[in-house]
């Protein structure tokens, strides 16, 4: 197969920027990269555009009018976010009746096997009623081990993350079970106190589902789950950086002070579709000025964010592009234990995003194939 050479860009590698860089791509992988004159091959000139690793989204429900809740729509949702630079993503499922959740999980297995998605994230149903957000509170359940095993079995090894509220009966044992099965246990949609959250981390929880959102604010006398999740180096925290869920200065502070911070979208099917009404697993959601809320005027209901916008927002808040890009690629890849994505280095998948001067997406390469 012919080697494709991308030349003349500012390329972000695992060790820093190549200011006049080139990347040689062969058989869907990075064959080599360096600074200065490129090797021979079919050359594409990048014109000093910044090149960053393809984005990795740990938490996304859909986009472009399509929802991962319906496996028949999953490719369309993936393709929408692929056009915004997300080359690796989990399909996140919200709380639903158990039979529906089992069916949706099983329906996504072939897409995970085919590499369309990197796996499945079950955001429900093991959440706290007190902080259920846009999850139907009547469908929330304790993490019974038999039910948990049923969901994991439906996923046939493709369930990668499960969100659990640690205060629910059976939660600590469920977290230990997930850790033993090689599934990332995430703490989220919880009202757990500091001590209970630390117990959950000690049991094996390693991820915070959209930190600050779906949990009590950190108080100076009652710090709740936030302090435990920020303070423990074993935990990676997710941030929805859309300027609505979190203040930009708070996002910048966490990115500066906690190395294991991952940008996510928490995007729903309405992403990219403008304002209007949509359904989110049986609940009515109204999108106004790009903000999704339950139609009854209540909780935020996911976002209409894309990963390229999340990275731009971080840079606008004062975070260097290299750090913002890593929070959208290398850090989430590490959470999932993915060793071929999240960075640009020889042997890695040729997943990259060519940005323009305003950090908009100019081109996207996925597994060595141009998709935009």
């Amino acid at each position: 197969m012919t080697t494709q050479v991308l030349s003349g860009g500012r390329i972000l590698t695992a060790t820093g920027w190549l200011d006049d860089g080139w990347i040689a791509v062969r058989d869907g992988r990075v064959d080599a990269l360096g600074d200065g004159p490129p090797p021979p091959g079919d050359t594409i000139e990048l014109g000093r555009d910044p090149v960053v690793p393809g984005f990795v989204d740990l938490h996304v429900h859909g986009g472009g009018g399509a929802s991962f809740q319906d496996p028949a729509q999953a490719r369309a949702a993936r393709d929408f976010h692929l056009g915004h630079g997300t080359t690796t993503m989990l399909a996140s499922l919200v709380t639903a009746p158990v039979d529906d959740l089992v069916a949706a999980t099983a329906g996504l297995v072939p897409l995970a096997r085919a590499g369309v998605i990197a796996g499945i994230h079950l955001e429900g149903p093991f959440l706290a009623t007190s902080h259920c957000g846009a999850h139907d509170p009547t469908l929330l359940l304790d993490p019974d081990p038999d039910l948990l095993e049923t969901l994991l079995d439906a996923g046939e090894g493709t369930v990668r993350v499960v969100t659990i509220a640690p205060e629910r009966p059976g939660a600590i044992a469920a977290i230990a079970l997930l850790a033993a099965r090689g599934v990332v246990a995430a703490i989220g949609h919880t009202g757990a106190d500091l001590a209970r959250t630390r117990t959950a981390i000690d049991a094996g929880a390693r991820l915070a589902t959209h930190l600050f959102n779906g949990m009590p604010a950190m108080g100076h006398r009652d710090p709740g789950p936030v302090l435990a999740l920020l303070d423990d180096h074993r935990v990676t925290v997710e941030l929805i950086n859309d300027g609505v869920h979190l203040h930009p200065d708070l996002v910048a502070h966490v990115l500066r002070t906690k190395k294991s911070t991952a940008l996510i979208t928490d995007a729903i099917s309405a992403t990219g579709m403008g304002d209007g009404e949509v359904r989110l697993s049986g609940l009515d959601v109204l999108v106004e000025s790009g903000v999704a809320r339950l139609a009854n005027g209540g909780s935020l209901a996911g976002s209409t964010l894309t990963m390229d916008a999340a990275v731009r927002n971080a840079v606008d808040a004062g975070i260097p592009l290299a750090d913002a890009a890593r929070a959208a690629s290398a850090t989430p890849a590490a959470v999932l234990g993915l060793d071929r994505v999240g960075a640009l280095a020889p042997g890695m998948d040729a997943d990259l995003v060519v940005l323009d001067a305003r950090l908009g997406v100019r081109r996207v390469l996925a597994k060595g194939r141009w998709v935009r």
Side-chain angles (χ1 to χ4, degrees), residues 284-308:
D284 292 321
V285 174
L286 180 62
V287 180
E288 292 183 321
S289 301
V291 179
R293 292 185 179 275
L294 292 179
N296 61 13
S299 172
L300 290 166
S303 85
T304 60
L305 182 66
T306 56
M307 284 294 276
D308 57 324

Side-chain angles (χ1 to χ4, degrees), residues 100-247:
D100 292 349
L101 202 53
V102 169
T105 301
L108 289 168
V109 169
L111 298 169
R113 296 270 187 258
V116 175
I117 56 175
I120 300 163
H121 163 216
L122 299 176
E123 195 179 3
F126 310 123
L127 313 178
T129 303
S130 62
H131 291 80
C132 61
H135 293 255
D136 187 339
T138 68
L139 299 177
L140 300 178
L141 299 169
D142 294 331
D144 173 79
D146 290 339
L147 174 55
L148 186 56
E149 291 282 9
T150 296
L151 289 166
L152 295 179
D153 289 346
E156 299 179 24
T158 66
V159 174
R160 306 298 300 269
V161 177
V162 178
T163 299
I164 291 181
E167 68 269 35
R168 291 203 76 113
I172 302 303
I175 289 168
L177 185 155
L178 290 170
R181 290 279 295 266
V183 179
V184 177
I187 295 172
H189 286 281
T190 176
D193 62 14
L194 180 72
R196 185 69 170 181
T197 305
R198 285 178 170 163
T199 298
I201 296 169
D202 288 340
R206 292 295 180 265
L207 183 64
T209 294
H210 46 53
L211 187 74
F212 300 107
N213 300 118
M215 58 186 68
M218 185 169 66
H220 63 289
R221 291 191 178 91
D222 182 12
V226 172
L227 179 61
L229 296 165
L230 281 174
D231 202 36
D232 199 304
H233 71 276
R234 296 171 292 180
V235 176
T236 297
V237 300
E238 299 177 350
L239 299 179
I240 308 172
N241 188 24
D242 61 353
V244 177
H245 282 78
L246 301 169
H247 193 286

Side-chain angles (χ1 to χ4, degrees), residues 79-125:
D79 290 348
F80 172 81
H81 286 286
L82 191 57
H84 288 271
T86 301
T87 53
T88 302
M89 68 198 79
L90 294 184
S92 297
L93 300 179
V94 298
T95 301
V98 170
D99 289 347
D100 292 349
L101 202 53
V102 169
T105 301
L108 289 168
V109 169
L111 298 169
R113 296 270 187 258
V116 175
I117 56 175
I120 300 163
H121 163 216
L122 299 176
E123 195 179 3

